């Protein structure tokens, strides 16, 4: 796997200034022939609770799971878990992992046909079983799909306890079908497991969603990529956030490593991601320059790429007041995600005035940054009269699925100067 790292910033600071911002773009070009540097394990978790009987969901879930299995590459280890009031391994035998081949994929499809909707929802138990199966394959690229249609039914705090125990051990992409599940619940899982959350509004859309997730997972070639930030005694990291392809705050995931900190980036294929790093530094004198941070990309302990974030103090206001284009863009994208969440919270609380103000600001930011996907999602919740000025009106009737789509996809971003 070949990696490059590039920093975008205005290194010039006014006298007395102490905040340094940079956007770091990490790009991986893939190993020779796209070969993995590690093995791979895939686990599909399908909610089989009683509510999945509604609207043909369980039938659609069976078809989606079978289609997903067909996308698993030969040689990849895999398992299927049926999620009810407990975790039940549907394939292969309990405690085992299958190795993908034409025969095992056919066997898995037959097992999936037996999937019936009957029971409760216990996401903590489902994830714990997945973690136990993944533990058999240390060093693998580990990916799971979790599908549900309802609220978690376990005792309060159990899911959080499980997530504390298994956090970041594998990537888990979460999908909710219909409109009776909680976005906050699946987002909590996705955030702790370095995955994504999204709505599948109609059961008929499940197959395409599963195929997309498995295909993306099969494209990963590195298992455990990390961002390491080394700072001098005069600098401290304020935050590290992924800002493209979606906003994800990594600050709380820091693992101390001497004067450095490591931040998990999950598994990688041939792709590019952007990160916003902010440092608090001790102000220098005019003409002083310093390293605010040395940013390294690691796989294990192997350094794959390095880039520096710098600070130089100047009395030239033309230099110090110039805002870097990338920093400005992603600051706006982060604000966009934040005001959408604030608008949704206000709307649910019946505070229409605050909701209108927040959604108006969101429309303004989406238009200014070229985030047409988010603007389209907003237009299903509010009437956008003038996006440039942020003038919107709340719609009287909004489908629950449209509001949940705005919620789950509010963190998706676009790059500077790029449309969709």
């Amino acid at each position: 796997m070949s990696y490059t790292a590039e920093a975008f910033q205005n290194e010039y600071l006014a006298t007395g200034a102490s905040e340094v911002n940079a956007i770091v773009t990490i790009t991986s070009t893939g190993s020779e022939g796209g070969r993995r540097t590690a093995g791979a394990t895939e686990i599909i978790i399908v909610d089989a609770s009683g509510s999945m009987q509604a609207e043909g969901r369980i039938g659609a879930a069976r078809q989606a799971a079978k289609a997903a299995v067909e996308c698993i590459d030969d040689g990849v280890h895999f398992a299927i878990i049926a999620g009810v009031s407990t975790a039940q391994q549907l394939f292969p035998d309990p405690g085992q992992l299958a190795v993908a081949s034409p025969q095992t994929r056919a066997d898995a499809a037959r097992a999936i046909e037996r999937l019936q909707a009957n029971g409760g929802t216990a996401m903590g138990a489902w994830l714990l079983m997945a973690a136990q199966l993944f533990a058999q394959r240390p060093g693998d690229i580990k990916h799971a799909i979790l599908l549900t249609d309802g609220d978690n039914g376990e005792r309060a705090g159990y899911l959080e306890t499980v997530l504390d125990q298994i956090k970041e051990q594998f990537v888990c992409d979460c999908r909710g079908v219909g409109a009776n599940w909680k976005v906050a619940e699946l987002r909590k899982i996705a955030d702790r497991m370095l995955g994504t959350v999204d709505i599948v509004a109609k059961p008929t859309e499940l197959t395409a969603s599963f195929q997309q997730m498995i295909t993306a997972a099969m494209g990963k070639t590195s298992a455990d990529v990390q961002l390491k930030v080394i700072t001098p005694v005069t600098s401290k990291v304020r935050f590290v956030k992924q800002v493209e392809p979606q906003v994800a705050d990594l600050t709380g995931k820091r693992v101390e490593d001497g004067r450095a900190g490591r931040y998990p980036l999950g598994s990688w294929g041939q792709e590019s991601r952007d990160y916003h790093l902010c440092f608090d530094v001790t102000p220098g004198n005019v003409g002083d320059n310093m390293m605010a941070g040395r940013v390294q990309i690691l796989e294990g302990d192997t350094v794959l790429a390095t880039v520096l974030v710098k600070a130089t103090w100047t009395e030239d206001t033309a230099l110090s007041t110039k805002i870097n284009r990338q920093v400005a863009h992603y600051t706006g994208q982060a604000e966009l995600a934040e005001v959408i969440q604030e608008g949704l919270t206000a709307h649910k609380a019946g505070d229409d005035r605050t909701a209108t103000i927040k959604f108006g600001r969101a429309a303004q930011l989406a238009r200014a940054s070229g985030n047409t996907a988010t603007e389209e999602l907003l237009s299903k919740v509010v009437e956008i009269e003038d996006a440039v000025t942020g003038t919107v009106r709340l719609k009287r009737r909004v489908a629950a699925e449209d509001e949940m789509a705005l919620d789950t996809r509010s963190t998706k971003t676009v790059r500077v100067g790029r449309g969709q």
Side-chain angles (χ1 to χ4, degrees), residues 393-413:
R393 285 186 298 106
L394 295 178
K395 288 188 174 181
R396 298 184 108 186
R397 288 189 179 86
V398 177
E401 291 85 351
D402 288 336
E403 194 162 311
M404 293 171 79
L406 177 62
D407 193 348
T408 60
R409 298 169 189 169
S410 62
T411 57
K412 292 186 178 179
T413 56

Side-chain angles (χ1 to χ4, degrees), residues 92-110:
D93 291 337
Q96 303 296 311
L97 289 166
V99 178
S101 68
Q103 183 60 56
T104 57
R105 284 192 288 268
D107 293 342
R110 284 190 289 272

Side-chain angles (χ1 to χ4, degrees), residues 12 16 25 47 64 70 81 102 105 126 143 158 181 203 217 223 241 243 259 263 282 287 289 297 313 325 394 413-414:
Y12 294 101
T25 295
D47 186 340
E70 283 301 312
I81 294 173
R105 284 192 288 268
W126 308 348
H143 177 260
Y158 182 70
W181 53 282
K241 297 178 182 178
V243 289
R259 279 220 53 81
Y263 303 84
T282 302
N289 57 73
I297 312 307
W313 282 268
R325 188 180 177 213
L394 295 178
T413 56
V414 292

Side-chain angles (χ1 to χ4, degrees), residues 225-229 237 239-240 250-255 261-265:
V225 179
Q226 299 174 68
L227 185 148
K228 182 176 180 179
V229 185
V237 176
F239 64 74
V240 174
L250 303 179
T251 311
K253 300 181 187 296
R254 178 184 172 104
V255 175
R262 295 188 182 212
Y263 303 84
L265 306 185

Side-chain angles (χ1 to χ4, degrees), residues 103-319:
Q103 183 60 56
T104 57
R105 284 192 288 268
D107 293 342
R110 284 190 289 272
I112 290 166
E113 278 298 327
R114 302 196 300 269
L115 187 66
Q116 299 295 324
N118 182 22
T121 304
M123 298 181 201
W126 308 348
L127 290 165
L128 193 57
M129 175 177 278
Q132 290 165 349
L133 290 169
F134 278 127
Q136 299 177 31
R137 300 289 303 172
D140 269 16
I141 298 168
K142 304 181 181 80
H143 177 260
I145 292 173
L146 187 153
L147 172 71
T148 189
D149 75 334
D151 297 348
N152 192 37
E154 294 168 315
R155 61 177 171 81
Y158 182 70
L159 176 60
E160 289 74 13
T161 299
V162 170
L163 289 173
D164 285 341
Q165 181 180 336
I166 69 170
K167 63 182 179 180
E168 300 160 20
Q169 291 182 14
F170 57 93
V171 172
C172 185
D173 288 324
C174 302
R175 296 296 180 266
V177 60
N180 296 322
W181 53 282
K182 290 181 179 176
V183 174
E185 205 160 59
L186 290 195
R187 178 174 284 131
K188 182 191 308 176
I189 296 170
D191 285 350
R192 299 297 290 277
M193 305 309 296
L194 304 175
T196 61
V197 59
D198 203 355
I199 183 173
V200 183
K202 299 175 183 177
T204 53
E205 299 170 348
L206 278 173
T207 293
S209 177
F210 272 42
Q211 289 173 324
Q212 183 274 326
M213 285 186 283
I214 296 290
T215 300
M218 292 302 101
K220 302 300 182 185
T221 53
S222 295
D224 181 24
V225 179
Q226 299 174 68
L227 185 148
K228 182 176 180 179
V229 185
I230 305 165
T231 51
V233 293
T234 52
S235 178
K236 183 179 180 181
V237 176
R238 184 188 299 181
F239 64 74
V240 174
K241 297 178 182 178
Q242 178 181 286
V243 289
E244 205 279 338
Q246 65 182 21
V247 177
D249 194 343
L250 303 179
T251 311
K253 300 181 187 296
R254 178 184 172 104
V255 175
E256 297 298 333
D257 184 4
R259 279 220 53 81
R262 295 188 182 212
Y263 303 84
L265 306 185
S267 54
W268 278 62
Q270 298 188 46
E271 58 190 292
S272 183
R273 305 181 199 174
D274 294 339
Y275 297 88
H276 184 175
L277 282 71
C278 181
F279 300 85
D280 292 309
V281 298
T282 302
N285 297 316
V286 172
D288 285 353
N289 57 73
M290 66 170 283
M291 178 187 78
R294 181 188 302 273
V295 182
Q296 295 179 332
I297 312 307
L298 308 178
E299 185 175 2
D301 289 320
T302 303
V303 179
L304 305 169
T306 301
V307 69
L308 300 181
V309 177
K310 304 172 184 177
T312 300
W313 282 268
T314 180
E315 290 181 322
D316 188 339
T317 55
L319 290 176

